[in-house]
Amino acid sequence: MKVAVIGCTHAGTSAIVNTAKLYPDAQITVYERNDNISFLSCGIALYVGGVVKDPDGLFYSSPQKLDELGVETKMKHEIISVDTDKKTLKVRNLVTQETFDDTYDKLIITTGSWPIVPKLEGIDLNNILLCKNYNHSNAIIEKAQEAKHITVVGAGYIGVELVEAFQQNGKQVTLIDSADRILNKYLDPEFSGKIEKSFREKGIEMAMGQTVTSFQGEDGKVNKVITDKGEIDTDLVILCIGFRPNTELLKGQVEMLKNGAIVVDQYMQSSKQDVYAAGDCCSVHYNPTGKMMYIPLATNAVRMGTLVARNLVQPTTPYMGTQGTSGLKIYEHNIASTGLTEGAAKDEGLKVETVTITDHYRPEFMPTFEEVTLKVVYEQESRRMLGAQVISKADMTQSINTLSVCIQNRMTIDQLAFIDFFFQPHYNKPWNFLNTAGLQALPAVETKAPVHS
């Protein structure tokens, strides 16, 4: 069996390693256009902020490791075209510029995603940087050393983490987003507001509800960001607007979402037989709504890559779908979310109820007992849980993994009230705060006077 893999991202590395182990006789060839593989981009802010000193730890594989598994890794090789009917590839060696053809029996597409770059006046000025790969992270660190004022465009996870890292490195920081608040895709206002408050207290300028319209510069370097509401003087701009799937190669050959994400079935096969896809280049089954969606997360990618390998010869292990579960630490706040926010649920046209509790996570007789705030979103009629968010100075983020399992298994808010959790004063209360949320959402119990004969 001849297996070709395009792209060695999170999903690619996972698919390659597992394919090599499961099918030792397979001939596996990997084509990667970069000079490195498997960079953990989620760690960029930690690297930029100096928390991670050695970037080697952010790579969880290498061509040498793959070579030990019998995999041929062709670095700095770009796929020019794919013919999924003839099962052929046209390849360019980016070092020599030579081109050649290859064939495959099974094709694995793990081309990942690329940052969205708006077509704005001045976008090509120096010191306007992207934030995705290892080379980007090194450029950010180098340029940030000389910069006094850094502007981050985009208030998603990466943008928010970079803002914290820059501020802690003594920089003046401005955060711009066209939405009226940060992290609006992951958190409802009562949660994102707490992080915004921390940012303002640290002196970070919040330019929310503003859209960047152009950039201005001097001597070829950016020195001003122009928005629809004003202008911001700056030395360095980091674009963190979002990501698009890298799927131009397969356009018109496999089914895709409107944004170009490849649609796969529960066994990771595309609409074309023997063409599989995983990670940021494709869509995922989103359990809270039952729809195929684009949710580029490393967790989704490694699971999907592993499933590609397991299902490459015959369908054996179906994908269980995702809740888009994610976590974040900003200053003293530990935050995590899963599934739909209240706002997202209403945007989907769902009739939902919510329950929000604030409690001490463990008994008040303990030396410390930090507050934890939990919000659960559930469907009005079925009472099925659809999403949850948690925030605390104590690390209560694992509770969101528990709620992710509950949502995946279509449990109701009423069942949450009586799930069996252990009690130990070091960790929680006799009623775990997850139980408490369920109890507070319980409907009033109808009572009738006993009938006496």
Side-chain angles (χ1 to χ4, degrees):
M1 179 172 67
K2 192 174 182 182
V3 181
V5 183
I6 305 178
C8 203
T9 55
H10 301 311
T13 304
S14 181
I16 294 158
V17 170
N18 284 281
T19 298
K21 289 178 179 177
L22 288 171
Y23 318 105
D25 295 330
Q27 181 186 339
I28 305 169
T29 305
V30 183
Y31 292 102
E32 171 55 60
R33 63 185 177 188
N34 291 305
D35 59 2
N36 59 77
I37 64 172
S38 73
F39 179 68
L40 192 64
S41 55
C42 310
I44 287 179
L46 295 172
Y47 181 33
V48 169
V51 177
V52 173
K53 305 295 183 186
D54 184 0
D56 287 348
L58 297 175
F59 294 91
Y60 50 93
S61 192
S62 66
Q64 293 74 28
K65 288 181 181 177
L66 298 184
D67 183 61
E68 290 168 8
L69 292 171
V71 175
E72 184 179 9
T73 307
K74 292 185 177 293
M75 304 298 294
K76 298 189 77 67
H77 279 68
E78 183 177 35
I79 302 298
I80 302 169
S81 63
V82 178
D83 188 326
T84 56
D85 291 324
K86 295 179 180 178
K87 293 189 173 182
T88 59
L89 309 172
K90 185 171 286 295
V91 188
R92 177 186 290 123
N93 183 325
L94 295 176
V95 176
T96 65
Q97 297 304 312
E98 293 175 312
T99 63
F100 60 92
D101 296 327
D102 198 2
T103 61
Y104 65 85
D105 299 312
K106 304 282 185 179
L107 178 64
I108 301 174
I109 306 294
T110 46
T111 45
S113 59
W114 193 250
I116 294 169
V117 182
K119 295 178 180 178
L120 298 176
E121 182 184 347
I123 192 71
D124 294 325
L125 286 165
N126 288 330
N127 286 11
I128 298 178
L129 305 177
L130 302 179
C131 184
K132 171 68 176 176
N133 60 30
Y134 180 54
N135 294 329
H136 291 158
S137 65
N138 286 331
I140 291 169
I141 290 170
E142 180 188 343
K143 300 284 188 180
Q145 287 178 353
E146 303 298 324
K148 292 180 180 178
H149 186 175
I150 302 174
T151 301
V152 177
V153 183
Y157 271 168
I158 293 176
V160 165
E161 287 178 318
L162 282 175
V163 165
E164 178 196 35
F166 291 138
Q167 186 276 323
Q168 290 182 326
N169 281 349
K171 307 298 179 181
Q172 184 183 350
V173 188
T174 299
L175 177 59
I176 304 176
D177 199 287
S178 56
D180 60 359
R181 59 187 182 85
I182 68 172
L183 299 169
N184 66 311
K185 292 181 180 178
Y186 309 98
L187 302 172
D188 283 317
E190 56 266 47
F191 290 81
S192 59
K194 292 183 179 182
I195 307 169
E196 289 178 355
K197 183 172 181 286
S198 290
F199 277 176
R200 290 190 175 97
E201 288 173 351
K202 300 288 186 182
I204 293 162
E205 182 184 0
M206 306 289 289
M208 295 294 101
Q210 297 191 35
T211 301
V212 175
T213 56
S214 65
F215 301 96
Q216 291 181 6
E218 190 174 314
D219 298 326
K221 289 184 180 180
V222 69
N223 66 359
K224 209 178 285 286
V225 181
I226 312 300
T227 77
D228 56 354
K229 293 184 180 177
E231 55 184 51
I232 297 155
D233 293 327
T234 195
D235 304 312
L236 179 64
V237 175
I238 315 295
L239 298 179
C240 304
I241 298 169
F243 298 97
R244 284 199 184 98
N246 266 331
T247 55
E248 283 296 316
L249 278 172
L250 276 295
K251 206 167 186 179
Q253 300 192 68
V254 297
E255 184 185 351
M256 295 180 179
L257 298 182
K258 285 183 179 179
N259 73 339
I262 298 169
V263 175
V264 292
D265 64 17
Q266 61 183 333
Y267 299 105
M268 300 296 106
Q269 187 168 241
S270 72
S271 57
K272 187 66 67 80
Q273 190 173 354
D274 295 328
V275 178
Y276 295 79
D280 288 8
C281 68
C282 64
S283 61
V284 292
H285 181 84
Y286 188 53
N287 287 324
T289 62
K291 296 179 180 179
M292 295 301 289
M293 293 184 67
Y294 185 58
I295 306 176
L297 287 172
T299 48
N300 290 337
V302 294
R303 281 195 294 268
M304 297 169 84
T306 301
L307 287 169
V308 165
R310 292 197 177 192
N311 297 310
L312 202 56
V313 172
Q314 60 182 12
T316 59
T317 311
Y319 185 46
M320 297 172 71
T322 182
Q323 287 71 253
T325 309
S326 56
L328 182 68
K329 182 172 175 60
I330 295 293
Y331 297 119
E332 73 273 21
H333 298 299
N334 297 286
I335 312 129
S337 67
T338 187
L340 292 166
T341 62
E342 182 179 6
K346 289 178 177 176
D347 288 344
E348 286 285 334
L350 297 168
K351 293 182 178 179
V352 296
E353 300 282 352
T354 68
V355 59
T356 302
I357 65 154
T358 297
D359 194 5
H360 296 129
Y361 81 96
R362 65 181 185 176
E364 289 77 3
F365 58 71
M366 295 298 288
T368 59
F369 42 88
E370 295 288 357
E371 276 191 350
V372 56
T373 298
L374 171 72
K375 180 175 183 176
V376 183
V377 181
Y378 58 97
E379 203 168 30
Q380 197 175 77
E381 186 174 346
S382 70
R383 300 181 68 80
R384 176 172 68 94
M385 288 182 281
L386 299 175
Q389 301 150 64
V390 69
I391 188 169
S392 179
K393 290 181 180 178
D395 184 3
M396 296 288 103
T397 53
Q398 287 299 320
S399 63
I400 286 297
N401 281 335
T402 300
L403 288 169
S404 175
V405 174
C406 291
I407 295 168
Q408 185 163 293
N409 287 290
R410 305 181 66 84
M411 293 178 67
T412 67
I413 190 71
D414 307 308
Q415 289 172 320
L416 181 64
F418 296 101
I419 292 177
D420 176 29
F421 297 120
F422 78 89
F423 164 57
Q424 213 289 333
H426 281 289
Y427 308 111
N428 57 11
K429 292 183 172 183
W431 281 112
N432 186 285
F433 65 90
L434 297 179
N435 293 138
T436 303
L439 286 167
Q440 289 201 12
L442 281 174
V445 178
E446 186 178 340
T447 59
K448 293 182 180 180
V451 178
H452 299 284
S453 55

